[in-house]
Amino acid sequence: MIDGDKLLTGWRPYAVLTALCALLFLPGLNTLPPTDRDEARFMQATKQMLETGDVVTIRFQSDLRTKKPVGIHWLQYASVKYLADRDTRAVWAYRLPSALCAWLAVLVTFAFGARALNDRTALTGATLLACTVLLVTEAHLAKTDAALLLTVIAAQACLFWLYSQAPASSPPMRVTVGFWIAIGAGLLIKGPIAPAIAAATAITLCIADRRAGWLRRLQPELGIPVAAAFILPWTLASAAAGNGDVIAASLTEDLLPKLLGGVESHGAPPGTHTLAAPLTLWPASLIVLPGLLLAWTRRSEPAIRFLLAWAGATWVLFELTPTKLPHYVLPAVPALCLAAAAAVGGRSSVPRWTKATWSVMTVALGAAAIWAAVTYGGPVWLAWAFAAVGIAVIALTWWPNARPMTPVIAAAGIMFPLLVSGILPHLEDLNLSTRLRDAVATETVAPDLPIALARYHEPSAVFWLGTQTWLTNARNATAHIIADPGALAVVAPDQQQGVSDAAAAVDGTVVVLEEITGYNYAKGRPETLVLIRSETKAPDR
């Protein structure tokens, strides 16, 4: 698959993967605007930690956030505090932990694959992982999922070591401790997801093998205290700060609702992740999808058996969860990529049906980029260039005797940087909060006067405009600017006349500073933001 024996020795594969990750994960890290709503909430909560110095309590403005543990906020806090000026709201510094964790996840995938399979397969599998839409996306977002992936891969690598040992042998203690350290770190990042994946994998293997004795190697009497040492100090400190039982709140407010039904309009039937796989795994799907069918024929091999149990149990777990978002299945992707790489091996081609499906998906991505640029005010010429590269890699895919890794790497290495640094950041109609920030920056506002937002309550606006931004209604926004002439408010067009009438009733006038028209993708509707301030009428002479 990837030729050159020199690439497989010593530090070289790590250097190759690092260069690939830099190409895929760094472009767009600072130019992509904060995305609504999850990423902007994470960023704003971390920003408030920097502002207050309170690294225990997670808040979005005055609201306590108990849905996720504190781990990712600590990583972001350190990144911004030591690498950037927090007052500049440097987006890249909030996202850097995700990019670094995605990079480390790729390297750990290689190290695991080299031990479980062989160096060549490991390099191919780690390359496939780096080249997926899922991982490239999460590397660019200041959320939990790239960090969670790193903890999952580390835990699963240790679990495989324990599983694959001969019955009479005793694995090194560092492997058992390493497993529980990874589980503890996963708990601090995203609660029970990492242990749930390890448990699902172990249960699947025990059922398939009809043996469970190897589980004693986990030594839970030693490991559970190790894992608890990661999460308990924060939970106790949070309780002491008056935040209540954050673990119970996370389970009742986040996990259980997702298990019982679709949350925030994200419900979908079983099979949704599978149907979306040609896109979420693209361009690696050219190899991963047919490779899994071949891997199944080798399921008696311990390493392949473990990878299939890991991928299958995780995938089924999230297919059965009513709430579905594309990134939920990311923890299964390293196993999918390694299993597919092992099964495809030295084959120089993939089935025609795979090429056809992949080609259709690539054309669809190019068409979507052109449509988005035309519809939302982006660089149309660059979108056409993006689509042209897609056509070129499709031709490469169908070229006689072309190795399938070539179009995968070409598509990822050229199209992803074009998309995340050249097209998405410049879809002006989608960047409402960024444009609002720029409009406010041209006005003189007293530092103690918050900006009142009526109706438009997106977290990205709070991140850009400041923690004191007032998310309210038209009536309160009106009272705000009347009470403090010179204060700013943002209202919708149908609210503007009412604000003007109220100001006129107290001998004031409303000045429209700017109208910003675009599309609120978080709400799925067109949006017009009217930036206003009130002024006191000059006395008649």
Side-chain angles (χ1 to χ4, degrees), residues 195-489:
I197 290 171
T201 303
I203 291 170
T204 301
L205 289 168
C206 290
I207 293 173
D209 297 346
R210 297 181 181 178
R211 64 181 182 92
W214 64 275
L215 292 177
R216 289 193 293 270
R217 298 170 182 165
L218 290 173
Q219 300 184 47
E221 69 282 359
L222 166 68
I224 290 177
V226 170
F230 280 81
I231 193 74
L232 278 181
W234 170 67
T235 59
L236 295 175
S238 188
N243 301 330
D245 189 339
V246 290
I247 294 180
S250 176
L251 293 174
T252 57
E253 296 177 15
D254 187 49
L255 181 62
L256 287 178
K258 290 177 179 178
L259 294 176
L260 298 176
V263 175
E264 297 178 350
S265 302
H266 295 149
T272 300
H273 289 302
T274 302
L275 291 175
L279 172 61
T280 56
L281 300 180
W282 186 92
S285 55
L286 180 66
I287 293 174
V288 172
L289 297 182
L292 289 176
L293 298 178
L294 293 172
W296 180 253
T297 65
R298 295 174 52 183
R299 61 189 180 276
S300 61
E301 301 174 25
I304 301 296
R305 196 174 188 82
F306 180 87
L307 292 171
L308 291 176
W310 170 5
T314 304
W315 201 276
V316 170
L317 179 67
F318 289 113
E319 285 284 24
L320 295 178
T321 302
T323 301
K324 290 182 175 64
L325 286 170
H327 63 267
Y328 283 4
V329 295
L330 179 60
V333 175
L336 294 174
C337 292
L338 286 173
V344 172
R347 293 172 182 262
S348 60
S349 63
V350 294
R352 296 178 65 88
W353 67 266
T354 306
K355 292 182 181 180
T357 303
W358 191 86
S359 299
V360 169
M361 184 57 61
T362 306
V363 169
L365 287 171
I370 295 171
W371 172 82
V374 171
T375 305
Y376 300 118
V380 177
W381 69 271
L382 198 57
W384 277 102
F386 176 85
V389 173
I391 297 300
V393 295
I394 288 172
L396 192 60
T397 302
W398 292 90
W399 195 265
N401 299 320
R403 291 184 176 272
M405 279 299 291
T406 304
V408 169
I409 295 174
I414 301 174
M415 297 178 73
F416 280 141
L418 279 176
L419 184 65
V420 298
S421 64
I423 298 175
L424 293 180
H426 303 292
L427 298 176
E428 293 298 322
D429 288 349
L430 300 183
N431 297 336
L432 285 166
S433 294
T434 305
R435 293 162 62 197
L436 178 59
R437 174 206 63 184
D438 295 341
V440 169
T442 64
E443 304 297 328
T444 301
V445 186
D448 58 338
L449 290 179
I451 299 171
L453 301 186
R455 188 183 297 179
Y456 185 71
H457 293 173
E458 299 308 327
S460 58
V462 177
F463 177 79
W464 284 132
L465 300 179
T467 301
Q468 300 307 313
T469 301
W470 190 14
L471 306 182
T472 185
N473 54 38
R475 175 177 296 182
N476 289 335
T478 303
H480 172 63
I481 63 173
I482 290 176
D484 292 294
L488 299 180

Side-chain angles (χ1 to χ4, degrees), residues 1-5 7-8 120 123-124 127 403 405 409:
M1 296 286 285
I2 296 178
D3 291 326
D5 290 338
L7 290 180
L8 305 175
R120 188 177 299 276
L123 184 56
T124 300
T127 300
R403 291 184 176 272
M405 279 299 291
I409 295 174

Side-chain angles (χ1 to χ4, degrees), residues 79-171:
S79 176
V80 178
K81 182 174 182 178
Y82 296 111
L83 300 177
D85 178 0
R86 66 178 175 85
D87 293 328
T88 65
R89 300 179 178 89
V91 174
W92 68 267
Y94 290 89
R95 290 170 170 163
L96 185 60
S98 293
L100 292 177
C101 287
W103 164 61
L104 290 173
V106 171
L107 297 189
V108 175
T109 296
F110 169 77
F112 166 50
R115 180 176 182 84
L117 299 161
N118 59 69
D119 291 348
R120 188 177 299 276
T121 296
L123 184 56
T124 300
T127 300
L128 290 173
L129 171 63
C131 291
T132 58
V133 164
L134 279 178
L135 188 57
V136 172
T137 299
E138 293 304 325
H140 285 84
L141 297 179
K143 303 200 291 91
T144 57
D145 296 282
L148 172 69
L149 179 67
L150 175 60
T151 67
V152 168
I153 297 171
Q156 295 294 91
C158 295
L159 188 65
F160 171 74
W161 199 334
L162 299 174
Y163 167 74
S164 60
Q165 291 291 303
S169 64
S170 178

